[in-house]
Amino acid sequence: MTTLAAAVLHTQLLFSWFGFGATAIVLLVAFLLLAGMIFFIRIASSGEDKHAEIREMVETLFGTPAHLRAAPPSDASPSASSSLSPLAKPAASFSEPCPACGETVTQNDVHCPSCDLRLL
């Protein structure tokens, strides 16, 4: 009986050490993931040009992509501010059929007058 009790005790100790080791590994992996996320956020939010490509990727994934953002105002010369930027120029006039109902829409229509489809 004593050898059986000793075997049970060893088995219980083995499983307790296995549980401790598994918990330590899971906590280590969780800590490494958290540290990686914090490091990635610090890189993406820093003002340095060292990680500009990573910052652009993050901004594209979670914010407005760079090609859709408005250009910052330039303070270089007063004549530059008086001229219209390429984004502020009025769009060329057009009239096309609505993709949903076929009603003719123009550049002035935000919504289709017939089916109320939001136009881009």
Side-chain angles (χ1 to χ4, degrees):
M1 253 349 218
T2 59
T3 58
L4 183 60
V8 169
L9 182 63
H10 285 297
T11 306
Q12 288 176 346
L13 287 175
L14 177 68
F15 283 122
S16 70
W17 280 107
F18 179 73
F20 175 75
T23 302
I25 289 171
V26 168
L27 289 176
L28 179 67
V29 169
F31 175 74
L32 290 174
L33 285 173
L34 182 65
M37 288 188 300
I38 290 172
F39 178 70
F40 193 73
I41 289 171
R42 291 187 109 195
I43 285 174
S45 63
S46 70
E48 300 175 11
D49 288 337
K50 184 178 179 182
H51 306 289
E53 291 180 8
I54 294 174
R55 187 172 41 257
E56 286 180 19
M57 284 187 269
V58 170
E59 288 173 355
T60 301
L61 289 174
F62 299 112
T64 305
H67 67 279
L68 294 178
R69 275 185 251 129
S74 62
D75 294 331
S77 65
S79 63
S81 63
S82 64
S83 66
L84 293 175
S85 69
L87 296 176
K89 290 182 182 175
S93 62
F94 68 90
S95 63
E96 295 180 354
C98 172
C101 66
E103 176 86 18
T104 303
V105 293
T106 65
Q107 75 277 3
N108 297 328
D109 295 323
V110 176
H111 296 281
C112 175
S114 176
C115 66
D116 203 34
L117 176 72
R118 172 103 167 102
L119 304 171
L120 296 176

